């Protein structure tokens, strides 16, 4: 059986092929042709235009076999099979923004919502009437409609604004909870991998009591907004997850009437915005008032590899919660070592011979416990391995535990010094994690190489060892020998963090339906918890673990975010100015936005009215001064005064001045502007220098992180 995509997410090896191009047998490849906004002329018919372009460049009168997809509901473009010379001709045509390969994208809870402060039932303030009117579009591997997490018991009919369909394929039925489904893979919208079911239930699944993984993590599994509706858009099959499918999902979701989009998918590497399908789709969603929440990626802890880099998306890193899954190893000498795994098997304390090595003859390890840095065994009773930086609990078809390096070395010493070493692996237990929250080692790091003065990721959320809905088709370990089937399983990845923040955004929208995507995003970022300063503690090479390049603004706080005090607002014109500052031409931006654009003067990207502030310095040996211009809007109380405060982080040797240092507001929705000037010298090349700017009126503490750095840390 093919490995489920989430496993590859965890090991940062999704879809083992790293080929970025989908090849056609006849020297043609599928390319995406992006043409920006739809023209406003009533007589314009997108598909006819797309067909005529193909006829012109191919010289063929019948091009149905060339056209793969046509985008015609929310933005303009198509995907088609083209030769290299045809691609070049299309790229030069009037009205074309970009032409890029149809890349393959990668897929990237009982306790987590309690950890975030959204308690079960009446313990959390909710606005259920509006929550039931919220529709979250989940772009993923599909969904398992029969899961209890998506039952429509107690739900009324779909919101009147819903314009979508239930087109899930054979034996697929929607209901008043799962109100829509579309498939772009020819497999049907049913989830065959478990990933989409898990993410959808994390964002908006019903509260389902007494869920666990064979007794591990027992509790009530639920989403952040259990009363909201879900629309599933399947873009990932077991083999492909293409840009063409992803753009089709955005095209439909925007027109269908979703309120938010959650997409736990990332590319193979950072892409310029005009060639990044997620950035393109999210831009057009943002213009229509729809916030896109995107997984930051699972390429950590290597620096400068975050794929989710656009300012109109909310990019989410993965972090730990205060619950961890730990598996004890008991040795024959009575010593107990504590490792990580989700091990549902119980050896009942019986001890077996321990065998150490990295390569084995299977016949020699039968009936024994294998101890190895890398490998496990099909015939051994159990396995004990050593972990490096990938510190999270995963599932196997047999008992196992993954030990920290020091404990693993201690175990090896015991084996080497003992005539008949024995041990046992116990069933996993859930324990309090005192260091939480810390950013997961696999979570993609900044700095942002597409827009170097824009801090990414934006926010961190629970993404380690998350229990949520799953599918009964495949084993939770993905191993063919594993015959177990579960309704709820434990996964880790920024894929799991993303729907947490989508749920938080939906929660905020239930109290403030009129808030724009940028206001919701600002509220989430400026009310976040500062992250734990501890590193992950497993690999000294993970130097960015405790920095803003790992966590962004910090760890999401849903309850605080509904009352942020001040917010940083952005609209389409701000994003256009930002793109002008990145040297996009007026002609290109006119195609993207569908309106006349003039890039006048030099607009600095760092002056985008973003809730965080970041600047790359190009000479570490000399002194520097950079300024950031910002405007805040008062959403707190009238007649309020906010005073600024600067807190330097990690011993940063920076001088930070805020002008003016006090902001006074007479009314709600009033705007006030200020400038932040940062100066210093001799920057650390290994770590970014940072500070926190806090605006406080005594009730609200509006925090913005400030980062200056040199180099890309790669």
């Amino acid at each position: 059986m093919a490995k489920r995509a989430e496993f590859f997410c965890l090991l940062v090896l999704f879809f083992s092929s790293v080929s970025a191009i989908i090849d056609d047998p006849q020297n043609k490849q599928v390319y995406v042709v992006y043409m920006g906004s739809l023209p406003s002329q009533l007589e314009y018919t997108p598909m006819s235009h797309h067909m005529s372009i193909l006829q012109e460049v191919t010289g063929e009168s019948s091009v149905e076999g060339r056209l793969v997809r046509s985008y015609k509901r929310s933005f303009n473009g198509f995907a088609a099979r083209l030769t290299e010379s045809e691609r070049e001709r299309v790229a030069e045509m009037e009205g074309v923004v970009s032409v890029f390969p149809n890349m393959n994208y990668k897929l990237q809870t009982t306790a987590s919502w309690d950890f975030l402060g959204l308690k079960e039932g009446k313990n959390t303030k909710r606005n259920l009437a509006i929550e039931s009117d919220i529709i979250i579009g989940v772009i993923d591997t599909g969904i398992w409609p029969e899961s209890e997490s998506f039952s429509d018991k107690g739900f009324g009919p779909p919101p009147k604004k819903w314009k979508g369909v239930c087109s899930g394929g054979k034996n697929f039925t929607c209901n008043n909870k799962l109100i829509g489904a579309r498939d772009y893979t020819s497999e049907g919208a049913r989830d065959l991998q478990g990933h989409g079911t898990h993410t959808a239930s994390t964002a908006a699944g019903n509260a389902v009591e007494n869920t666990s993984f064979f007794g591990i993590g027992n509790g009530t599994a639920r989403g952040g907004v259990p009363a909201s509706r879900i629309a599933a858009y399947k873009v990932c099959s077991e083999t492909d997850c293409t840009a063409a499918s992803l753009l089709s999902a955005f095209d439909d979701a925007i027109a269908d009437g979703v309120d938010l989009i959650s997409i736990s998918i990332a590319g193979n590497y950072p892409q310029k915005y005009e060639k990044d399908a997620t950035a393109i789709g999210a831009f057009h969603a943002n213009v229509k008032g729809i916030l896109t929440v995107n997984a930051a990626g699972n390429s950590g802890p290597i620096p400068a590899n975050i794929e989710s880099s656009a300012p109109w998306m909310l990019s989410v890193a993965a972090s730990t919660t205060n619950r961890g899954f730990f598996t004890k190893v008991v040795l024959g000498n009575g010593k107990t070592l504590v490792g990580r795994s989700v091990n549902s098997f119980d050896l009942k304390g019986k001890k077996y011979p321990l065998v150490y090595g990295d390569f084995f003859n299977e016949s020699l390890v039968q009936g024994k416990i294998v101890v190895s840095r890398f490998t496990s065994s099909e015939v051994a009773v159990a396995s004990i391995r050593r972990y490096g930086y990938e510190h999270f609990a995963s599932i196997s078809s047999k008992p196992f535990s993954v030990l920290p390096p020091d404990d693993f070395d201690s175990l090896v010493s015991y084996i080497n010094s003992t005539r008949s070493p024995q041990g046992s692996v116990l069933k996993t237990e859930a324990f309090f994690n005192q260091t939480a929250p810390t950013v997961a080692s696999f979570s993609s790091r900044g700095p942002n190489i597409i827009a170097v003065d824009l801090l990414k990721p934006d926010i961190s959320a629970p993404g380690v060892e998350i229990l949520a809905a799953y599918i009964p088709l495949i084993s939770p370990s993905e191993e063919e020998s594993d015959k177990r089937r579960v309704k709820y399983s434990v996964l880790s990845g920024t894929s799991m963090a993303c729907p947490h923040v989508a749920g938080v955004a939906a929660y905020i929208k239930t109290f403030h339906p009129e808030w724009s995507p940028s206001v919701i995003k600002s509220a989430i970022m400026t009310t976040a918890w500062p992250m734990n300063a501890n590193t992950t503690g497993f690999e000294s090479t993970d130097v960015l673990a405790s920095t803003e390049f790992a966590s962004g603004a910090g760890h999401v706080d849903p309850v605080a975010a509904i009352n942020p005090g001040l917010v940083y607002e952005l609209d389409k014109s701000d994003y256009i100015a930002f793109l002008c500052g990145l040297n996009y031409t007026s002609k290109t931006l006119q195609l993207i936005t569908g309106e006349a654009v003039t890039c006048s003067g030099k607009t600095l990207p760092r002056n985008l009215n973003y809730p965080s502030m970041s600047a790359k310095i190009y000479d570490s040996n000399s002194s520097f001064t950079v300024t950031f211009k910002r405007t805040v809007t008062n959403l707190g109380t009238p007649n309020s005064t906010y005073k600024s405060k600067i807190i330097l982080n990690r011993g940063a040797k920076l001088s930070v001045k805020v002008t003016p240092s006090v902001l006074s507001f007479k009314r709600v929705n009033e705007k006030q502007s200020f400038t932040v000037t940062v100066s210093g010298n001799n920057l650390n090349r290994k770590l970014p220098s940072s500070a926190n700017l806090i605006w406080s009126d005594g009730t609200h503490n509006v925090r913005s992180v400030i980062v200056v750095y040199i180099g890309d840390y790669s």
Side-chain angles (χ1 to χ4, degrees):
M1 180 184 295
K3 291 287 187 180
R4 154 180 114 249
E6 187 49 43
F7 178 70
F8 291 99
C9 168
L10 305 184
L11 297 184
V12 199
L13 290 174
F14 288 100
F15 297 111
S16 58
S17 169
V18 296
S19 173
I21 310 297
I22 310 301
D23 291 327
D24 184 275
Q26 298 177 332
N27 294 321
K28 302 183 186 72
Q29 297 171 359
V30 177
Y31 289 95
V32 174
V33 180
Y34 173 51
M35 302 172 68
S37 293
L38 286 165
S40 57
Q41 301 97 315
L42 293 177
E43 67 275 11
Y44 181 79
T45 54
M47 194 163 182
S48 296
H49 187 201
H50 303 159
M51 298 284 276
S52 68
I53 289 175
L54 288 175
Q55 288 171 339
E56 180 178 342
V57 298
T58 65
E60 301 169 4
S61 58
S62 178
V63 292
E64 286 79 4
R66 295 289 200 116
L67 186 66
V68 176
R69 297 192 184 277
S70 183
Y71 313 120
K72 51 188 181 293
R73 301 184 70 196
S74 304
F75 48 86
N76 197 8
F78 61 94
R81 294 180 178 89
L82 301 170
T83 65
E84 175 60 22
S85 61
E86 291 166 350
R87 181 201 68 79
E88 292 174 355
R89 289 185 63 193
V90 172
E92 295 298 321
M93 297 183 84
E94 191 74 22
V96 172
V97 175
S98 59
V99 181
F100 54 93
N102 185 29
M103 293 184 301
N104 247 334
Y105 280 69
K106 302 176 294 185
L107 300 168
Q108 305 267 327
T109 146
T110 50
S112 57
W113 287 110
D114 286 340
F115 179 60
L116 293 179
L118 288 187
K119 306 296 183 180
E120 188 178 351
K122 296 181 180 179
N123 295 319
T124 294
K125 179 183 177 182
R126 292 191 180 274
N127 192 341
L128 292 178
I130 296 181
E131 185 173 321
S132 183
D133 201 43
I134 297 291
I135 305 168
I136 300 180
V138 181
I139 299 177
D140 212 295
T141 65
I143 198 166
W144 194 263
E146 293 83 7
S147 171
E148 290 180 78
S149 291
F150 313 125
S151 165
D152 68 349
K153 183 179 179 181
F155 281 81
K160 293 181 180 179
K161 63 188 176 185
W162 175 242
K163 302 180 183 69
V165 298
C166 184
S167 183
K170 187 177 180 181
N171 298 324
F172 188 103
T173 305
C174 297
N175 57 32
N176 287 330
K177 170 71 174 180
L178 174 60
I179 61 173
R182 293 181 186 269
D183 170 50
Y184 308 92
T185 69
S186 301
E187 288 183 345
R190 183 173 295 279
D191 186 6
L192 305 180
Q193 301 176 66
H195 190 276
T197 298
H198 198 280
T199 58
S201 66
T202 300
N206 298 325
V208 182
E209 297 179 349
N210 299 316
T211 58
S212 69
F213 184 81
F214 295 102
I216 301 169
N218 186 61
T220 299
R222 57 191 168 88
V225 278
S228 66
R229 318 301 178 110
I230 296 170
Y233 299 85
K234 181 173 177 177
V235 299
C236 299
S237 69
E238 293 184 284
T239 57
D240 292 327
C241 195
T242 67
S245 297
L246 196 153
L247 281 170
S248 287
F250 269 108
D251 190 30
D252 285 329
I254 295 167
D256 286 346
V258 303
D259 294 288
L260 295 156
I261 293 174
S262 178
I263 177 166
S264 292
I265 299 170
N268 292 303
Y269 44 83
Q271 293 278 351
K272 291 185 177 181
Y273 299 140
E274 76 275 16
K275 296 183 179 181
D276 181 340
T278 306
I280 290 169
F283 179 86
H284 292 282
N286 192 285
V287 170
K288 298 293 176 63
I290 302 167
L291 176 63
T292 298
V293 184
N294 185 214
N298 297 304
S299 300
I302 301 168
N305 57 18
I306 184 164
E307 295 97 345
S308 179
S309 61
W312 47 84
M313 300 191 294
L314 184 48
S315 308
V316 187
S319 53
T320 59
T321 72
N322 60 350
R323 181 185 72 180
F325 293 133
F326 297 89
T327 304
K328 295 178 180 178
V329 174
V330 179
L331 306 183
N333 61 6
K335 185 176 182 179
T336 298
L337 306 175
V338 180
R340 303 298 298 267
S341 72
V342 185
N343 175 44
S344 65
F345 304 102
D346 192 352
L347 297 180
K348 301 186 184 302
K350 182 178 178 180
K351 293 184 173 62
Y352 294 84
L354 299 173
V355 181
Y356 170 65
D358 288 331
F359 302 98
F360 297 96
N361 183 325
E362 291 287 275
S363 64
L364 298 179
V365 299
Q366 190 164 4
K368 301 175 183 179
I369 295 178
V370 167
V371 179
S372 172
R373 289 177 297 171
F374 310 115
T375 63
S376 57
S377 168
E378 286 291 323
V379 300
V381 172
S383 298
I384 301 171
R385 298 197 298 271
R386 176 192 189 275
Y387 61 65
Y389 59 76
E390 68 287 356
H391 181 241
F392 53 85
S394 57
I395 300 170
S396 179
S397 61
K398 288 196 171 187
F400 84 114
S401 184
V402 185
L403 296 176
D406 289 348
D407 283 353
F408 184 86
D409 293 343
S410 174
L411 172 59
V412 172
S413 295
Y414 164 72
I415 294 172
N416 291 335
S417 63
T418 305
R419 175 171 295 181
S420 300
Q422 292 186 324
S424 185
V425 178
L426 305 187
K427 184 176 180 179
T428 295
E429 300 177 78
F431 290 104
F432 182 73
N433 182 4
Q434 297 182 3
T435 63
T438 56
V439 176
S441 57
F442 56 76
S443 189
S444 290
R445 288 4 183 193
N448 182 350
I449 66 172
I450 302 302
V452 298
D453 289 344
L454 181 73
L455 181 65
K456 287 286 179 170
D458 292 312
I459 199 75
S460 173
V464 177
E465 299 161 18
I466 304 301
L467 179 69
Y470 202 62
I471 64 172
L473 284 181
I474 57 177
S475 74
S477 68
E478 306 170 1
E479 298 171 19
E480 291 186 13
S481 60
D482 190 355
K483 305 304 179 185
R484 296 174 298 171
R485 298 294 184 268
V486 295
K487 294 182 179 179
Y488 291 83
S489 190
V490 177
L491 298 177
S492 296
T494 55
S495 285
M496 286 62 254
C498 173
H500 276 94
V501 176
V504 171
Y507 177 71
I508 296 169
K509 203 168 181 67
T510 65
F511 293 96
H512 307 285
E514 75 286 0
W515 279 11
S516 69
S518 68
V519 171
I520 294 173
K521 180 175 179 176
S522 176
I524 289 173
M525 291 176 65
T526 61
T527 59
W529 311 338
M531 287 294 287
N532 194 323
N534 293 333
T535 67
T536 51
F538 311 111
E539 286 289 337
S540 59
T541 55
D542 190 6
V543 295
L544 299 182
S546 62
T547 74
E548 295 77 13
F549 286 155
S551 63
H555 201 267
V556 65
D557 185 346
V559 176
I562 64 175
N563 183 20
L566 305 177
V567 294
Y568 296 82
E569 287 192 272
L570 289 162
D571 59 23
K572 184 165 70 168
S573 64
D574 296 304
Y575 295 126
I576 293 171
F578 169 80
L579 292 172
C580 284
L582 293 181
N583 297 320
Y584 283 77
T585 67
S586 297
K587 182 179 178 180
T588 296
L589 293 177
Q590 182 170 340
L591 290 171
I592 293 172
T593 63
E595 59 188 48
V597 172
T598 301
C599 290
S600 56
K602 180 62 176 176
T603 304
L604 293 175
R606 69 169 178 260
N607 285 331
L608 179 71
N609 199 40
Y610 213 64
S612 60
M613 306 174 204
S614 180
K616 181 176 181 178
I617 308 300
Y618 291 89
D619 186 353
S620 64
N621 296 320
S622 62
S623 60
F624 68 89
T625 298
V626 293
T627 60
F628 303 93
K629 297 179 180 179
R630 293 293 187 270
T631 299
V632 286
T633 304
N634 178 28
L635 296 183
T637 57
N639 300 313
S640 56
T641 299
Y642 286 80
K643 296 180 180 179
S644 64
K645 180 181 180 181
I646 295 294
I647 300 175
L648 299 178
N649 298 326
R650 299 182 299 277
K653 297 178 181 180
L654 300 174
S655 172
V656 184
K657 182 180 180 181
V658 183
T659 308
S661 61
V662 177
L663 300 177
S664 296
F665 298 89
K666 294 182 179 180
R667 61 187 184 278
V668 176
N669 292 320
E670 182 181 349
K671 297 179 184 295
Q672 294 278 0
S673 298
F674 63 93
T675 299
V676 177
T677 303
V678 182
S679 58
N681 55 55
N682 297 321
L683 286 178
N684 187 337
R685 284 185 171 272
K686 295 183 178 180
L687 286 173
S689 298
S690 70
N692 290 321
L693 163 62
I694 301 173
W695 289 105
S696 179
D697 66 348
T699 300
H700 306 95
N701 292 299
V702 187
R703 186 175 66 92
S704 290
V705 297
I706 304 168
V707 177
V708 292
Y709 69 101
I710 184 167
D712 59 9
Y713 302 93
S714 60

